[in-house]
Amino acid sequence: MSATPASSTTMSAPQTLLPGHTLGVLGGGQLGRMFVHAAQRMGYRTVVLDPDGDSPAGRASDVHLRCTYLDEEGLRTLAQQTSGITTEFENVPARALSELARTRNVSPAADAVSIAQDRALEKAHFTRCQVPVAPHAVLRSAQDLSAVPDALLPGILKTATLGYDGKGQVRVHTREELQAGWTQLQGAASQPVVCVLEQMLPLAAECSVIVARGRDGQCVNLPVQRNLHRQGILAVTEVFDGHLDPALAQQALDAARKVADGLSYVGVLCVEFFMLAPGPVRDQLGALVVNEMAPRPHNSGHYSIDACDISQFELQVRCLAGLPLTQPRQHSPSVMLNLLGDLWFTQGPTAREPDWAAVLALPGSHLHLYGKSEARVGRKMGHLTFTGADAAQVRQTALQAAAVLGIAPF
Ligand code: ATP
Ligand code: MG
């Protein structure tokens, strides 16, 4: 057989991009903003592509291209102005990434992003990597509903694509609720919206792992994070010695690395896990089950900006630029509180700025606000990280801040 000739779509060889180059990011949210901050600190210029003229990242970036993710002219300009391009949310069209990768460093790669965009493909990937997943069924049409085994109820019905922060999910206990949930998630779509029904698992805790994998396959990680979700949205992340069973944390870390290796991933990847409560489900599935992955820095890794010597955003810059990766070290115990728009409405229906001065009076507080002009319930407006010398004291201080802000104790 003859060798395959090089085609015009051959990817360009990745370059090492030293500070001074310009780095691009698809997406203008808070993750893009914190990427821009990290890149600029290291001496890069930045270009953000996002349709919103007032986006958190667009406002921080040297250049903001205001257009949609499939705007050909915009993507051409992004490629012309930058040497490497990353993404800050997984719903960016994979097609845009593969097009850009023809001429520029792009990480993560389009194929990894496509898998992470789709819960069905994502679960198949975890299974391929021999990482246990929640028992589930992929529902592609209304006919598939009757074939759902009883064991998956009660369960959570999730759209296969485009869900985030608990959106696109319905908890269902009976077959009637499953039918109603399916109809609700179909909305006004003309084609069936593919869904995944997952068995509702008895959770003892949740955790996540952020790994960064370079082009040479070298992989480093942040310490395993313990996460508390409320109404499907991350509320609190705690990272300090003794907050997780060390054997389970190691298992999560090993699993996250397998998931990254299995994708030949280049970039920052977050893998979220469920830690199961004792009982028959845990006896059957094991203590640790993977939930999902995000092909980018993650909300549960924000503490790394203030509590680690290398943040998840600096790792993203290093991966994209092909710079060396060294193992990050956490230098302080930390607790991160998400600041949702709800906190602006604790006194009534008119938005009122929370008492930041009271929070900043507490020791070891690091306030991050994303510059969003309008607070809305459920909207991520910022986060607050506490660091200190002693884990119990950091936790105590974070609880004090929570009380000031109107966040329920944890
Ligand atoms: P993200 O913002 O992390 O992308 P998402 O909208 O993709 O969130 P999931 O991570 O699937 O949503 O679910 C959100 C939360 O809902 C989980 O962190 C967990 O607390 C709960 N949850 C989801 N699936 C299950 C399950 N099968 N069993 C029990 N709890 C679950
Ligand atoms: Mg999640």
Side-chain angles (χ1 to χ4, degrees):
M1 253 192 359
S2 62
T4 312
S7 79
S8 59
T9 56
T10 304
M11 308 278 175
S12 61
Q15 314 267 311
T16 299
L17 307 174
L18 293 172
H21 277 90
T22 301
L23 303 180
V25 55
L26 286 165
Q30 61 267 19
L31 299 173
R33 179 180 173 95
M34 291 182 267
F35 170 83
V36 161
H37 288 157
Q40 289 176 336
R41 183 174 53 77
M42 293 169 77
Y44 294 93
R45 282 172 48 82
T46 61
V47 179
V48 164
L49 186 150
D50 187 282
D52 178 1
D54 191 29
S55 70
R59 288 172 52 178
S61 180
D62 294 280
V63 176
H64 177 191
L65 300 173
R66 190 180 169 180
C67 61
T68 63
Y69 304 113
L70 284 173
D71 182 298
E72 281 179 26
E73 178 63 31
L75 290 173
R76 224 181 352 262
T77 310
L78 181 65
Q80 275 162 4
Q81 294 192 356
T82 61
S83 313
I85 297 144
T86 189
T87 161
E88 64 110 38
F89 80 132
E90 62 260 48
N91 292 327
V92 84
R95 189 147 56 88
L97 290 176
S98 38
E99 184 57 33
L100 292 165
R102 290 169 45 156
T103 57
R104 291 291 179 267
N105 284 12
V106 169
S107 92
D111 52 356
V113 172
S114 319
I115 293 174
Q117 278 171 350
D118 184 322
R119 288 188 194 278
L121 297 179
E122 186 176 66
K123 284 192 163 49
H125 176 69
F126 294 145
T127 305
R128 246 190 329 271
C129 296
Q130 299 183 322
V131 176
V133 298
H136 64 280
V138 179
L139 307 177
R140 299 186 187 280
S141 73
Q143 283 79 55
D144 292 345
L145 268 65
S146 52
V148 162
D150 289 337
L152 294 186
L153 293 170
I156 306 190
L157 187 65
K158 306 179 177 183
T159 55
T161 61
L162 298 177
Y164 70 99
D165 289 347
K167 295 186 175 66
Q169 299 195 6
V170 190
R171 293 183 178 227
V172 293
H173 299 86
T174 60
R175 289 194 175 268
E176 291 68 42
E177 286 182 9
L178 174 61
Q179 179 65 54
W182 168 267
T183 307
Q184 180 190 328
L185 293 179
Q186 297 305 305
S190 53
Q191 297 288 319
V193 173
V194 177
C195 291
V196 174
L197 175 67
E198 281 177 31
Q199 181 184 341
M200 183 108 67
L201 299 174
L203 308 188
E206 294 186 66
C207 71
S208 58
V209 181
I210 284 157
V211 296
R213 192 172 180 280
R215 288 178 206 145
D216 56 0
Q218 195 209 345
C219 205
V220 299
N221 62 279
L222 293 179
V224 182
Q225 296 111 205
R226 181 182 182 123
N227 303 322
L228 171 69
H229 291 81
R230 288 177 173 153
Q231 275 93 47
I233 307 180
L234 182 67
V236 182
T237 294
E238 300 184 71
V239 197
F240 47 80
D241 283 345
H243 73 327
L244 286 171
D245 170 354
L248 267 190
Q250 186 60 45
Q251 215 178 308
L253 184 54
D254 294 343
R257 285 185 174 221
K258 272 203 261 181
V259 167
D261 285 341
L263 291 166
S264 301
Y265 193 80
V266 178
V268 171
L269 178 80
C270 178
V271 187
E272 292 181 80
F273 297 90
F274 299 138
M275 296 171 131
L276 302 189
V281 178
R282 189 171 88 171
D283 295 343
Q284 181 203 342
L285 298 176
L288 190 78
V289 169
V290 64
N291 174 19
E292 59 173 358
M293 64 179 172
R296 51 165 172 79
H298 190 259
N299 195 167
S300 61
H302 290 355
Y303 75 98
S304 61
I305 297 173
D306 300 303
C308 297
D309 58 2
I310 305 180
S311 76
Q312 60 172 349
F313 300 101
E314 176 168 345
L315 290 172
Q316 187 181 17
V317 173
R318 289 187 187 219
C319 288
L320 177 61
L323 292 173
L325 293 175
T326 59
Q327 178 67 26
R329 186 180 68 84
Q330 184 182 5
H331 49 69
S332 294
S334 86
V335 176
M336 188 235 32
L337 307 178
N338 251 354
L339 303 173
L340 298 182
D342 311 41
L343 305 183
W344 274 247
F345 299 99
T346 52
Q347 310 291 313
T350 311
R352 208 180 117 271
E353 198 72 15
D355 188 354
W356 303 130
V359 158
L360 290 169
L362 297 168
S365 79
H366 309 270
L367 178 64
H368 299 252
L369 290 171
Y370 306 145
K372 297 182 183 179
S373 40
E374 193 199 343
R376 287 197 297 268
V377 170
R379 191 177 200 199
K380 290 177 178 169
M381 302 299 289
H383 69 270
L384 183 61
T385 303
F386 286 91
T387 57
D390 170 71
Q393 174 261 309
V394 170
R395 203 165 189 285
Q396 207 43 50
T397 314
L399 281 165
Q400 267 176 275
V404 166
L405 294 170
I407 297 172
F410 44 88

